[in-house]
Amino acid sequence: MTEAGLPDIAMARRLEDLGYDSVSMADIITGDGNPAFDPTLVLAGAAATTERIGIEFSVLTLPLRPTAWVAAQVQTLQHLSGGRVVLGVGIGGFPGSPFWRAVGAPLRGRGRRTDAALQALPGLLRGEPTEVEGEELSLGPAAPVPPILIGGDSEAAMRRAVLYGDGWAPSLIGPAALAEKAVRLREIADELDRPVPSISIGGHAILVDAPAAIESFTRSLAEVHGMTPEEAAAVPITGGPAQVAERLHAFSEAGAETAGLALDGGNWIRQAEVLAEARALL
């Protein structure tokens, strides 16, 4: 994203040149005037201007959309990108917002709808006859099922990741809290006799000298998410390459295999370079 809030597709090519694993797009359309774009369209544009970098939903809100439509879009994007999609999904964090109401999305049963979609999506993407909402359909041409990451910090999200996902993707979490949840994730996998999903944390980084931006971000975590000041202060990653590498190493020690970070605070290109420098130190 550019500082004006508009998607700059050329930035995806810059991330690819810097050696990033993927470029991601959040799904945060609320309809209350906050800047937000359809992630599928933005990622399609990113796929068209890049060759190697992963194209990641971080994360797609499944209850907002008909499952068959999601499958058709992801299947198409797999073909457009040459199989580079990473499908992060979740139940959505803005039920009851104007956009949710306008599209007729349900306020209740989001978990059940998400589970049903996750059960149907692999077959739909592979072009297999699959029943959705009482209708059997087949989509073509078939596409590889992308890695599926399940977003959310709750016990239900962890269980969903074990049952349906390749990875679990918690967000807005510090290393200490992640280490505790990683233990619980392994316990759930043992209980269900399933493989332990990988862990990919999502968070925010402010890698420029912007104390006001850091203060505003941590205050919003307390006001919107009910975090304590200590919890909120542990979320943003700040500082230079060495400090960032230290934080990323702490997340790795806590169980994370990958990290997806939104860059806040301005000077986007410089922040992307700092993060790339930090990764080289790991």
Side-chain angles (χ1 to χ4, degrees), residues 33-263:
N34 287 323
F37 295 90
D38 185 284
T40 306
L41 295 178
V42 174
L43 291 177
T49 61
T50 57
E51 298 175 355
R52 302 177 306 278
I53 198 167
I55 305 299
E56 181 172 347
F57 291 91
S58 181
V59 294
L60 188 67
T61 302
L62 288 184
L64 268 177
R65 299 166 173 83
T67 300
W69 189 249
V70 171
Q73 290 184 313
V74 173
Q75 191 181 61
T76 300
L77 190 53
Q78 277 287 65
H79 286 287
L80 289 176
S81 68
R84 290 185 279 144
V85 174
V86 178
L87 181 56
V89 301
I91 66 171
F94 304 98
S97 68
F99 187 76
W100 278 67
R101 295 195 300 271
V103 301
L107 302 185
R108 298 182 181 275
R110 290 179 293 148
R112 291 191 299 273
R113 288 178 63 91
T114 298
D115 291 344
L118 287 168
Q119 292 176 53
L121 280 172
L124 290 171
L125 294 172
R126 291 192 293 259
E128 301 168 355
T130 305
E131 184 174 312
V132 180
E133 301 290 344
E135 185 75 30
E136 186 177 278
L137 68 153
S138 301
L139 298 177
V145 179
I148 297 176
L149 309 181
I150 309 298
D153 300 349
S154 68
E155 176 99 0
M158 289 190 283
R159 186 170 295 271
R160 187 170 292 120
V162 170
L163 288 171
Y164 305 115
D166 301 291
W168 173 52
S171 61
L172 302 180
I173 190 171
L178 178 64
E180 294 181 4
K181 287 184 175 288
V183 172
R184 180 58 186 145
L185 184 69
R186 291 192 293 271
E187 291 174 348
I188 294 171
D190 288 343
E191 293 167 8
L192 298 175
D193 195 25
R194 305 274 295 187
V196 181
S198 64
I199 298 176
S200 176
I201 62 114
H204 290 252
I206 302 174
L207 308 181
V208 289
D209 185 14
I214 296 173
E215 194 277 333
S216 175
F217 177 71
T218 55
R219 185 176 64 250
S220 71
L221 292 179
E223 294 174 351
V224 177
H225 297 278
M227 293 185 180
T228 67
E230 293 75 18
E231 290 171 334
V235 172
I237 294 177
T238 61
Q243 292 170 290
V244 175
E246 183 178 353
R247 285 294 305 278
L248 293 176
H249 179 71
F251 277 113
S252 176
E253 289 291 297
E257 296 182 22
T258 58
L261 301 175
L263 300 177

